[in-house]
Amino acid sequence: MTQSIRYASASETGLDGPDQVLPADVDTTCNVDGKVRIKLDSNELNSYMPVSIPGVLTRTAKLYSDHIALVSAPDANGKRTTYTFQEYESIVKTVAKAFLKLGLERYHSVCIMGFNSPEWFITELATIYAGGLATGIYTTNSPEACQYCAEHSRANIIVVEDEKQLQKILQIKHNLPHLKAIVQYDGKPTEKNILSWNDLLNIGKTESEDKLSYVLKTIAVNECCILVYTSGTVGNPKAVMLNHDNILHGIRAVTSTLQIKEKSEVIVSYLPLSHVAAQLIDVIANIMLATTVCFADSGALKGTLLNTLLVAQPTIFLGVPRVWEKIYEKMQEKAKNNGVIKTWIAKWAKAQGLHYYTNKINGIDYKHWGYVFAKWLVFDKVKTALGLNKCHMFITAAAPLNIDIKKYFLSLDVSILDVYGMSESTGPHTITDCKEYNLHSVGRPMSGVYTKLDNIDEHGEGEVCMSGRHIFMGYLNAPEKTEEAKDKNGWLHSGDLGKFDSKGNLFITGRIKELIITSGGENVAPYNIEQSILSELPYLSNVMAVGDKRKYLTVLVTLKSNINEETGAPLDTLTPDVLKWAQSIGSSAKTITEVISSRDVAIYEEINEAIKRSNMQAVSNAQKVQKFEILPHDFSIPTGELGPTLKLKKNVVQKMYADLIDKMYE
């Protein structure tokens, strides 16, 4: 960073909020009431004077008062409720007044548990207006995990969606000394002393503006306003402290990089709001850019998302890899029912799409007649069927998306942009450049952020480190963990290994903590090996490499199986495409149990051959996989192998299948 650095000047009275900066002489803090300096430099985006989240909503409500801000999911009668920005801000203030009346104290939290809804958004912003810490809790959390977050953040108020989430809180509320009120926003609470959403609104409506006006004057942009609990794979989750400037700078950087315009975008909200990506794109971008947010119903991730897409017609669509995989699987299934002519046309069109994008990747952006005709004949119709015909930006985030799935969508004129970042960088740090598309990289650093590689090895790989106004304040009450993540110069150490190409594109090559060091002392990054095997055999759902401190590499694999739509748990039955493949290679197995119990020769041999093909790409013998085992069921959240953001908990899998792993080394 060679830019000339200065700091945003502090308020003299401390009562110039909410857009004020309070005095600070540090860049990192773990204290709940801590303040940090805000660095300004000559880079255009970093020269912006900081503003607050309430300040942004007030501005948008004035500028675009009648523009539709939120559209709820349909109620029992199929009716959707809409909120203009003026109505939205008014309700936020009403709820903020109610929170203050119920006893919300400065630097205490309001915990929110529920599926995406206008009430979730309103609760988050009302908490910030009232000087509290907005804290999302995953709906998949156990009562014990909820207790940790509520206790750690000193929750004064907990807002839950329904009876199911309420029961978790009732089990643990006697362990929450700071808790003063519980609100249930959907339906009428049957338990006593639980407030309904209407009760909350009525409390706020009878309160004067005085207390809220005073609190807003004391708020500062360099104080924490949102806590994001990371779904840590070991021990209790860490609470990432984000201030107003972190969050708004993140949106400013995304907007500048992707050239998003105000009052022109439609977003569908369905990904967990406890995760930083959804908070940023759904809640904060909405108030900053005057987007319209349409809410999916709670079955979105179980198959009803398409209904919302068809109604909402989003212009920007963000999906985690599992969502793109599900869309891909559904499209593959549908394609199998096409007749010969339709199949031929689709194959021809996809070849045109891939040809166009392959040229574009190589610097030739020319729309040849085949692509133009295929777009009219096939691509536009496919997008219309998915409700994505108005969508100009398709994004994947939170984990890597399989290259073959990216290529499939590319062949249908859907170029999926990669976003790379973490909760500690308030979400995105790099984004794929739309104009210079690249299949394998996670794009380039956004405008107004800084990136470096630390401890670079002979291959040009090093730890990805990030800096800028979007970097978190610290982990709440965890100075040692904060020091591990954020160094004294303000660089966030991601724990990811990466390298840059000559055009400045970043490639993530593995995780430092996931590096396998064999007993022969060779470092092996498992990610590329796992992806290579998956590419060789698409009927596998997951591949996990094992081999730390062992003589050789092995892998655990799962076959694609059907899912219980209610619980999200994997079933024993194989998916239709896996069944068809199994039959084609001479297997009669219909379940995973049958495959494993009979050690199905055909299936085991096909997996073995896929591993052999993958091994041909290995740069050394230490990187070759020697053995494998099929696991009895696929990975999922209910069975414990995946965290709430669908990241694989490798340490959990290793404990679960320790005996099976040991067997491969006998």
Side-chain angles (χ1 to χ4, degrees), residues 319-321 396-402 418-419 527 645-647:
V320 293
T396 184
L401 178 60
N402 184 289
D418 262 285
V419 169
Y527 172 71
T645 57
L646 305 178
K647 281 185 184 160

Side-chain angles (χ1 to χ4, degrees), residues 313-550:
Q313 307 270 300
T315 58
I316 296 173
F317 180 69
L318 167 66
V320 293
R322 188 67 195 114
V323 170
W324 290 111
E325 285 162 14
K326 277 186 173 180
I327 296 172
Y328 164 78
E329 286 160 12
K330 283 265 158 64
M331 289 172 78
Q332 292 285 79
E333 236 171 85
K334 201 158 192 278
K336 282 173 189 154
N337 301 322
N338 286 343
V340 177
I341 294 171
K342 253 191 175 181
T343 301
W344 184 88
I345 291 170
K347 193 176 177 184
W348 171 83
K350 286 194 283 190
Q352 304 307 311
L354 213 47
H355 177 64
Y356 165 66
Y357 278 102
T358 303
N359 283 341
K360 191 175 179 181
I361 288 166
N362 293 323
I364 306 159
D365 189 358
Y366 174 68
K367 293 182 170 72
H368 59 284
W369 74 266
Y371 167 78
V372 174
F373 188 50
K375 183 173 170 14
W376 171 77
L377 186 66
V378 177
F379 305 154
D380 290 351
K381 288 180 177 132
V382 169
K383 287 180 188 173
T384 300
L386 292 171
L388 297 173
N389 45 309
K390 291 183 181 172
C391 196
H392 62 88
M393 208 170 291
F394 309 90
I395 300 170
T396 184
L401 178 60
N402 184 289
I403 295 296
D404 293 333
I405 291 176
K406 268 194 203 174
K407 277 185 183 170
Y408 173 81
F409 281 105
L410 210 52
S411 74
L412 289 169
D413 201 32
V414 172
S415 53
I416 301 174
L417 307 182
D418 262 285
V419 169
Y420 165 74
M422 49 203 296
S423 303
E424 292 85 344
S425 64
T426 322
H429 184 82
T430 71
I431 299 178
T432 310
D433 188 330
C434 314
K435 296 182 185 71
E436 291 189 39
Y437 192 76
N438 188 304
L439 268 173
H440 298 272
S441 86
V442 291
R444 295 175 183 164
M446 300 187 299
S447 314
V449 306
Y450 301 97
T451 318
K452 71 172 184 179
L453 300 179
D454 201 28
N455 294 325
I456 299 173
D457 66 12
E458 69 273 19
H459 307 296
E461 289 181 15
E463 183 181 13
V464 179
C465 296
M466 316 174 204
S467 179
R469 281 168 64 173
H470 62 319
I471 301 302
F472 78 134
M473 301 169 74
Y475 297 121
L476 180 63
N477 303 333
E480 286 174 11
K481 285 178 179 170
T482 301
E483 273 176 42
E484 285 171 25
K486 190 177 175 185
D487 68 28
K488 60 181 185 297
N489 297 315
W491 286 98
L492 169 63
H493 290 250
S494 68
D496 289 321
L497 290 169
K499 61 181 180 182
F500 283 103
D501 69 6
S502 57
K503 292 180 176 177
N505 291 303
L506 178 64
F507 296 76
I508 300 300
T509 56
R511 284 278 302 157
I512 291 173
K513 284 180 183 170
E514 286 179 7
L515 266 184
I516 291 171
I517 304 172
T518 63
S519 56
E522 179 139 3
N523 286 8
V524 178
Y527 172 71
N528 290 337
I529 294 165
E530 292 160 352
Q531 289 301 311
S532 168
I533 296 169
L534 282 170
S535 291
E536 291 295 340
L537 195 62
Y539 306 103
L540 296 176
S541 180
N542 284 284
V543 173
M544 185 183 123
V546 180
D548 200 43
K549 302 183 184 69
R550 308 266 193 174

Side-chain angles (χ1 to χ4, degrees), residues 77-110:
N77 302 315
K79 185 177 174 292
R80 295 176 189 269
T81 306
T82 60
Y83 301 78
T84 65
F85 275 102
Q86 194 172 28
E87 290 167 338
Y88 186 16
E89 195 208 15
S90 174
I91 295 174
V92 165
K93 284 182 168 175
T94 300
V95 173
K97 289 190 288 181
F99 284 165
L100 290 170
K101 175 69 175 173
L102 291 168
L104 175 60
E105 299 167 64
R106 288 287 268 129
Y107 314 116
H108 282 253
S109 77
V110 174

Side-chain angles (χ1 to χ4, degrees), residues 544-556:
M544 185 183 123
V546 180
D548 200 43
K549 302 183 184 69
R550 308 266 193 174
K551 289 180 189 172
Y552 49 83
L553 277 193
T554 61
V555 290
L556 299 172

Side-chain angles (χ1 to χ4, degrees), residues 9 13 39 72 118 154 160 258 275 305 375 464 543 610 637 640:
S9 51
T13 64
K39 283 183 185 174
S72 77
R154 303 187 305 163
V160 299
L258 297 178
H275 191 263
L305 178 60
K375 183 173 170 14
V464 179
V543 173
I637 295 173

